[in-house]
Amino acid sequence: MKAVLLLAGLFLLLSGGRGQVTLTKPSKTFVFAVEQASTTKPHTWTHRVAEAGDYQLGMAWVEVLSGEEVEVIVRVGGKQVRSVKARPGLAPQRLETRIEGLAAGAEITVTAVPRRASYRLGYQLAFGTPTFPGAKVFHVRDFGAVGDGVTDDFAAIHKAVATAREAGGAILRFDGSKTYRAIGLRDFTEESLFELKGAKDLKLEGGGALVVLHPPDSFAQLDEAENIQIDGFRIDYDPKPYYQGMIRKIDVEALTVDIEVPERYPVPEVGKNEFRAPFFGRSFIPDALGARTGHGDNLYIEKVTRLDSERRLRLHIRENAQNSDTPASSMRPRVRYAAEKGATEFVVPHVKYAHRGRVNLITRSARVTFSNLRYDCSPHFWLPITHNTGPITLRNVDLKMPHPETELFVSWRDGLHIKNGRWGVMIEGSDWDGAATYDDSFAIYSRAQKLVGVSGTTLTLTPTFESKEPFLWRKGDWASVWSPGQRQLRGMARVVGVDATSTDQTFRVTLESLPAAAAPDDIVLHEESLNRGSVIRHCSTSDIGTDSSSTRFRCVDVKFENNRFEDFHFWFHAGPNGPRPREIVLENNWVSDLRSGQIVFQQGLDCLVRGNQLVGVTLEFADGSRNMRVEDNRGTEKKKT
């Protein structure tokens, strides 16, 4: 996305100082950028927006170089919406701010007022609402899409999308009363119905249409896309990427589970798992007789064989969790537990096409909105949002079982996986059967780097987990250096160069200056890809399914407000490979956690927990958490430190 990568050279204003009004650029995502060099003078920047919608102040900071203090005030239409006071120290003060629902012509004003201080300041202003003025309208029916639920419409929809993209700004409409079956290749090749790599200025309007995919195909894949909206679809799979069976026998010594599969599923295929990825099913132990809530264990399956009928199957469990993050984990205790606790059902991934692919992907994209979408199931990861370079919004995007009275699962891996965002993600009005999602219902995280060498102001880094990602680092970004375990901040400095030419797992980052005491084995964070400014509000999870809804947050500056999280386990932690959770806000939420009963902050810093209803939940602040504010919560039993 070259327009994004070259943002530093676009719409640049140096030293505004006289309060002049600048009209933002219409039909642009990044409408203004400020890079104020060192000064002791007050400055005001005023931006008049050309289009109605939602805006974000991002990549935003003020650094006091010397003296006493600088106050930065953000106003909209003359009304103050944000104020921060910064003083000299090891880190700049961040200014990320969401500004929603603006009318065309509204003014955003940023004012810096120094008090006997020298400072510098930078920010970008982004427009987050997709707009399609004058867009040409296409209809999928005109490209041969039938929508009768039987005909394979995959090729017709592909043709319609390609034509709309070539129009240079278009709306593609589906008939909301129809069911579009999308099969494509039948050999379990992973395909995408909406393949949107490099797409721009495109809206896909479902109108409530049902799309039935063939596993392991995906619904939408966006890469380096901009100004995209996908609205108004229900998404399901046929055949389902899993099936359920009633447990008839568990043999702990033989490591087998015998099940009977009901008629609502197609006759399952049998055979050996040939995939590299982990391949596990889940047992179900109901909370009470007949309940559709409960718990279970992941059991790794070697193969599936048939017994005396096509619907009576034997699951052969592996000795260990081969190909998982903990491959030495023994399965026998888990099988024994299922037997002793009276497990009643087993959810089985299909041996040929489950645990593959993803339903959606949004990566390296900006100004993307998913809205009014309902997913009935997912064959693997549901919705990864990675390395976003601009605003991403999810509104009323649900992952819910259509028949919770019989079904126990919706997603074979994580639900929302939000990683390394340069801009915050907005998620609102969305509902998830969280207990029916394996692993994290949603996760917001970034990766830490380990410092392995220092030469002048150049740091040699290696990732603490998985592969290196030097493409995230850009000139002008901020980097922070922490002692091992992130107990102490060494300091922060701006990036002036990145060298990714090494053939091993290291890369080099050159800074303006070297934070004092920086040394090998320190932790280095890329401060611009910490998903700052993310908001999750008016969302809900349910406790339907095979476990409680779990999540892990390794992030900074994220707000959860006015949500209802049922049987949901909050876990904010750095661990060995994430940032220390800083500036997290939990406000006015309803939270229950029947399994672990805790909201855990490990190494929390400057976080706020206020006005929440906590049902059977304790707050735990561990591993040196500091400046944790707890105000006006109801039902909190105790705090641990």
Side-chain angles (χ1 to χ4, degrees), residues 506-518:
T506 64
F507 64 101
R508 289 176 290 279
V509 174
T510 301
L511 305 178
E512 282 183 330
S513 59
L514 184 68

Side-chain angles (χ1 to χ4, degrees), residues 291-305:
R292 304 310 293 165
T293 62
H295 60 286
D297 279 318
N298 295 331
L299 296 174
Y300 286 73
I301 301 171
E302 185 69 33
K303 63 180 178 180
V304 180
T305 58

Side-chain angles (χ1 to χ4, degrees), residues 487 551 553-560 569-575 579-587 589 591 598-610 612 614 617-630 633 638-641:
R487 298 282 179 168
T551 190
F553 297 106
R554 294 175 285 242
C555 51
V556 170
D557 184 23
V558 174
K559 187 172 187 178
F560 300 82
H569 181 54
F570 274 104
W571 185 15
F572 298 95
H573 73 121
R580 183 173 183 172
R582 294 177 262 146
E583 303 164 45
I584 308 297
V585 175
L586 295 177
E587 190 166 26
N589 302 286
V591 183
Q598 295 175 321
I599 295 177
V600 181
F601 287 86
Q602 291 183 323
Q603 298 176 279
L605 180 62
D606 298 325
C607 300
L608 172 65
V609 184
R610 179 170 61 194
N612 301 284
L614 306 178
V617 175
T618 63
L619 297 173
E620 180 174 345
F621 304 137
D623 300 331
S625 291
R626 293 192 325 204
N627 300 335
M628 307 296 288
R629 292 178 291 154
V630 179
N633 297 290
K638 58 183 176 179
K639 294 188 296 180
K640 299 179 182 179
T641 57

Side-chain angles (χ1 to χ4, degrees), residues 131-143:
T131 55
F132 310 94
K136 187 173 182 179
V137 177
F138 297 91
H139 295 269
V140 292
R141 64 172 181 263
D142 297 330
F143 297 86

Side-chain angles (χ1 to χ4, degrees), residues 304-436:
V304 180
T305 58
R306 210 174 302 282
L307 296 173
D308 55 358
S309 73
E310 61 185 8
R311 292 188 175 275
R312 290 181 62 86
L313 306 177
R314 176 162 290 170
L315 311 177
H316 300 261
I317 310 301
R318 286 177 171 169
E319 290 281 353
N320 53 39
Q322 183 180 341
N323 293 328
S324 75
D325 292 340
T326 56
S329 297
S330 174
M331 293 296 101
R332 197 174 303 277
R334 300 185 187 184
V335 175
R336 181 178 295 110
Y337 183 81
E340 292 175 349
K341 295 298 182 181
T344 59
E345 294 175 77
F346 203 101
V347 189
V348 189
H350 197 285
V351 71
K352 288 192 174 181
Y353 47 76
H355 284 302
R356 294 178 60 191
R358 51 172 69 90
V359 179
N360 302 283
L361 174 66
I362 304 173
T363 186
R364 298 181 293 182
S365 297
R367 199 170 162 206
V368 171
T369 292
F370 280 14
S371 53
N372 303 311
L373 305 178
R374 159 72 182 251
Y375 294 81
D376 289 343
C377 68
S378 168
H380 201 230
F381 283 88
W382 173 45
L383 210 171
I385 302 173
T386 65
H387 313 135
N388 62 301
T389 52
I392 307 292
T393 302
L394 307 181
R395 286 196 171 97
N396 192 28
V397 177
D398 302 334
L399 180 60
K400 300 281 287 184
M401 286 177 286
H403 301 291
E405 69 278 5
T406 56
E407 304 308 301
L408 293 168
F409 232 58
V410 287
S411 178
W412 272 116
R413 283 303 300 257
D414 296 6
L416 292 163
H417 233 231
I418 301 167
K419 175 186 177 186
N420 290 346
R422 294 183 71 88
W423 293 75
V425 174
M426 166 65 78
I427 307 171
E428 66 176 349
S430 299
D431 305 299
W432 311 296
D433 283 338

